[in-house]
Amino acid sequence: MSDPTFDRLGIWNWERENVSDEIEDAKYAESKGFDSVWQGESRLVRDAMTIMGAYTQVTDSVKFGPGVTNCYTRNVALMAQTFSTLDELSGGRAMLGIGAWWDPLASKVGIDRQNPLRYMWEYCTVLKKLLDLETVTYDGQYIQVEDIELDLVRANAEPRTVPIYIGATGLTMNKMAGELVGNGTIDGVYMNYLIPPSHNERAMEKLTEGVEKQGGTIDDVDRPQLIAVSMDEDADVAIDNARGLVTQYIGQQPHITKASGIDPEVGEQVGEELGGWPASAEDIERASRLVPDEVVTNIVAAGTPEDCVQKVADYCTAGCTEPSLYSLGPNVRDVIDVFAEFKTA
């Protein structure tokens, strides 16, 4: 078997001990020929917009975007304003990854995710029009705006070509995202992590169904994907290092458990051991004993460098167009170095 190659590569930055390390990792990835840096913004940790503003000043060519921010806590007009600004600061390198967030965190801050599909459709529709510098009036079920536009009196008043990606895990969200690509509203999906490559194949079917409904083809849908990487020369160490994260997700986020193909009873048992969200380190350690190696390696690129490269290649074969590598350990630059060897010019 020939070695895998990657036309495009990105990294996913998230919760390093020092925020300056994330900025330096972005610069390092760019120096190694990587194409993108995606900034995590899921829990209430660091604000992705602030860090991406820093990226605009210390990088020259790499693209960047949140992977992903949510469509609830930033008003759609503010989101357009933010990415218009980042587009200016970066010389057109900003991207926007946007998702429907997750519970229980959303409910804990007063967000009712009653119909995330409809909310996302309306949000992206208005957002795209604003970035195109249209004057927008929209009376939706969830989004209502009246006669608004980006007020670019002194700034460059050209449409903002900010690619928009929906962070999609569920198959119905993938189908809807395909429709939004097909009608020209968004550019693609930011495929989720902690799911097996086989889930990509099912997502591809729904993306194809959605985009073809609007007269497009699957080639119109860009598909970067967040992929967790736990790399060590000792495969057992790498798998153990990933087990805690896997445990938290399958015990606390049912959509991930469902998408990963894990037995629902196992997910429930793990959830009971975790004892709710957020879980303590002791809870995670106890619950992780219920998660076998094969569950970890099914949804994480975990093992030796060779194992990790092959697993990421499997995701690409199943539909990913640009791996977005999330190193679960402190060896971010080692991961960058390993994958840079397999990147095409």
Side-chain angles (χ1 to χ4, degrees):
M1 180 183 296
S2 60
D3 288 333
T5 58
F6 304 101
D7 295 332
R8 295 159 52 192
L9 285 171
I11 64 167
W12 193 72
N13 265 342
W14 171 246
E15 205 178 1
R16 295 271 270 153
E17 182 176 354
N18 297 308
V19 68
S20 60
D21 290 336
E22 296 178 26
I23 294 170
E24 292 302 316
D25 289 342
K27 293 165 60 177
Y28 190 75
E30 180 179 75
S31 74
K32 289 293 185 175
F34 276 51
D35 302 276
S36 66
V37 177
W38 295 84
Q39 191 68 32
E41 190 186 69
S42 177
R43 303 197 326 270
L44 301 178
V45 186
R46 291 182 181 134
D47 170 59
M49 310 307 162
T50 305
I51 298 176
M52 291 189 301
Y55 292 162
T56 70
Q57 303 303 295
V58 298
T59 61
D60 299 309
S61 61
V62 72
K63 296 180 179 180
F64 58 86
V68 295
T69 190
N70 74 82
C71 61
Y72 293 102
T73 55
R74 288 184 177 88
N75 176 280
V76 67
L78 174 60
M79 189 74 82
Q81 182 180 10
T82 298
F83 278 84
S84 172
T85 305
L86 288 169
D87 180 75
E88 283 191 271
L89 279 171
S90 65
R93 293 184 284 133
M95 306 177 292
L96 172 54
I98 187 163
W101 221 11
W102 52 278
D103 281 312
L105 180 54
S107 62
K108 284 178 177 286
V109 300
I111 300 297
D112 180 3
R113 300 171 63 253
Q114 183 178 11
N115 189 348
L117 290 166
R118 184 64 202 174
Y119 196 101
M120 182 69 77
W121 181 283
E122 294 181 4
Y123 194 99
C124 289
T125 298
V126 173
L127 179 65
K128 173 63 173 175
K129 291 178 181 294
L130 288 171
L131 291 172
D132 284 344
L133 303 193
E134 296 182 23
T135 301
V136 186
T137 295
Y138 189 90
D139 185 18
Q141 183 178 353
Y142 297 102
I143 306 294
Q144 297 91 30
V145 300
E146 182 178 355
D147 196 26
I148 63 168
E149 62 183 357
L150 288 178
D151 191 12
L152 304 178
V153 176
R154 295 180 178 83
N156 171 22
E158 296 291 328
R160 303 317 197 211
T161 54
V162 177
I164 301 172
Y165 296 85
I166 287 180
T169 304
L171 297 179
T172 306
M173 184 70 84
N174 274 284
K175 180 178 181 295
M176 189 194 77
E179 291 188 46
L180 285 169
V181 172
N183 70 19
T185 299
I186 69 170
D187 296 82
V189 293
Y190 189 60
M191 303 177 86
N192 210 347
Y193 76 150
L194 300 185
I195 56 177
S198 59
H199 184 271
N200 279 17
E201 296 170 357
R202 295 192 293 274
M204 288 286 286
E205 293 174 0
K206 290 299 182 181
L207 287 168
T208 301
E209 183 181 341
V211 72
E212 289 183 351
K213 182 178 178 180
Q214 297 292 333
T217 71
I218 190 61
D219 292 337
D220 299 327
V221 184
D222 195 17
R223 305 176 300 274
Q225 182 168 19
L226 171 58
I227 301 173
V229 178
S230 183
M231 190 177 75
D232 194 278
E233 292 296 340
D234 186 327
D236 291 335
V237 170
I239 294 168
D240 283 339
N241 287 342
R243 201 182 313 273
L245 178 69
V246 171
T247 298
Q248 293 175 76
Y249 269 77
I250 67 175
Q252 296 173 337
Q253 299 202 29
H255 68 290
I256 292 292
T257 306
K258 180 179 179 181
S260 65
I262 294 169
D263 186 334
E265 290 187 4
V266 173
E268 290 177 6
Q269 292 171 4
V270 171
E272 290 174 1
E273 288 294 328
L274 288 174
W277 183 89
S280 68
E282 292 78 12
D283 294 335
I284 296 168
E285 172 64 26
R286 184 176 61 254
S288 68
R289 297 168 191 162
L290 300 173
V291 180
D293 288 2
E294 56 267 26
V295 167
V296 177
T297 56
N298 189 41
I299 60 179
V300 175
T304 66
E306 294 78 11
D307 295 333
C308 293
V309 169
Q310 185 56 59
K311 183 71 173 187
V312 171
D314 291 344
Y315 282 102
C316 292
T317 299
C320 165
T321 55
E322 179 180 312
S324 181
L325 307 173
Y326 170 30
S327 175
L328 300 186
N331 58 342
V332 177
R333 297 195 183 187
D334 291 340
V335 171
I336 292 171
D337 287 342
V338 165
F339 279 85
E341 296 180 9
F342 296 89
K343 190 177 187 301
T344 57

